[in-house]
Amino acid sequence: MAILPITVFGDKILRKPTKKIAKIDDEIIGFVRNMFETMRNANGIGLAANQVNSSRSIFIVDISPVEDYEHYKPITLINPEIIEHSEDTIVMEEGCLSLPNLRADVERPEFIRVKYLDINENEQILEADDLLARVILHEYDHLIGKMIPDRVDGKLRKHLQKKLNKIIAREEKIDYPVTPKH
Ligand code: ZN
């Protein structure tokens, strides 16, 4: 297993929509293991493949480190699709391993239904609300090239810009491996 460097806001791969996977082979299985090791090393609760420099339609979620969510199992979502979401939305504060030291309130649907392939290539449909829905929607956004600043209104985005510039310049203190400044 290996800890991979995490891509940071400003890295182009984070803005490119990812590609669906045709076959889940040993290479993909090893890659997903590395994703889990990388996410845990960075104390994250979700990680998308393009956050470790791979343009594949995969993300992982593990909210069990969060108080009151200890019983939730880690999940790997391959080629995920959000097939249903509620009209009702909620606002929650989010962070992102590719946006170190930035937190922002983001409004998203409260409930979702997501279809995906698990690591054994079996199709799964998961209903999620609350924190789990939140993390899934955040990670799904990564796969289509979207990030927190795209999901806030213009005023808040403006307010975040200074921080974003510092992130791009790698001036934020980050305690996990990230891609080099370019
Ligand atoms: Zn993120």
Side-chain angles (χ1 to χ4, degrees):
M1 291 220 281
I3 291 168
L4 307 168
I6 293 179
T7 52
V8 172
F9 187 82
D11 286 348
K12 287 197 178 66
I13 193 164
L14 287 169
R15 297 321 217 158
K16 244 176 64 186
T18 53
K19 290 198 184 76
K20 289 207 169 173
I21 287 161
K23 180 149 184 51
I24 302 170
D25 56 18
D26 287 349
E27 198 272 323
I28 299 276
I29 292 167
F31 174 70
V32 168
R33 279 203 197 109
N34 290 341
M35 284 181 72
F36 272 104
E37 195 177 3
T38 302
M39 179 179 74
R40 288 181 174 138
N41 177 65
N43 295 315
I45 55 173
L47 187 75
N50 50 356
Q51 290 184 278
V52 287
N53 216 28
S54 169
S55 212
R56 289 160 164 162
S57 182
I58 307 177
F59 65 81
I60 58 170
V61 173
D62 182 5
I63 59 172
S64 68
V66 182
E67 204 183 336
D68 298 330
Y69 297 91
E70 292 86 353
H71 56 291
Y72 281 79
K73 288 191 174 63
I75 38 177
T76 302
L77 297 93
I78 298 170
N79 300 343
E81 281 173 52
I82 307 293
I83 54 174
E84 197 186 324
H85 65 82
S86 60
E87 292 303 318
D88 289 341
T89 59
I90 44 169
V91 174
M92 281 174 91
E93 194 186 60
E94 293 185 19
C96 178
L97 294 176
S98 297
L99 291 162
N101 307 326
L102 180 143
R103 313 279 309 172
D105 281 341
V106 182
E107 186 178 5
R108 296 191 193 267
E110 191 173 13
F111 166 87
I112 56 160
R113 204 185 298 268
V114 59
K115 186 172 92 173
Y116 62 95
L117 294 177
D118 66 18
I119 199 75
N120 302 312
E121 224 168 319
N122 293 319
E123 191 176 290
Q124 303 285 349
I125 291 179
L126 176 69
E127 290 181 356
D129 61 2
D130 191 35
L131 181 65
L132 186 59
R134 174 60 47 147
V135 179
I136 289 171
L137 287 168
H138 175 112
E139 299 309 328
Y140 180 79
D141 256 4
H142 276 300
L143 299 186
I144 57 170
K146 299 253 184 254
M147 297 179 76
I148 291 173
D150 307 312
R151 297 298 188 202
V152 299
D153 64 34
K155 210 172 131 202
L156 178 55
R157 161 96 203 196
K158 228 171 155 185
H159 176 78
L160 296 175
Q161 194 54 53
K162 240 192 184 154
K163 190 85 169 170
L164 293 173
N165 292 341
K166 283 183 80 180
I167 290 169
I168 293 167
R170 304 292 193 278
E171 285 166 9
E172 286 295 322
K173 197 185 167 300
I174 311 174
D175 56 7
Y176 45 85
V178 295
T179 54
K181 188 183 158 185
H182 43 168

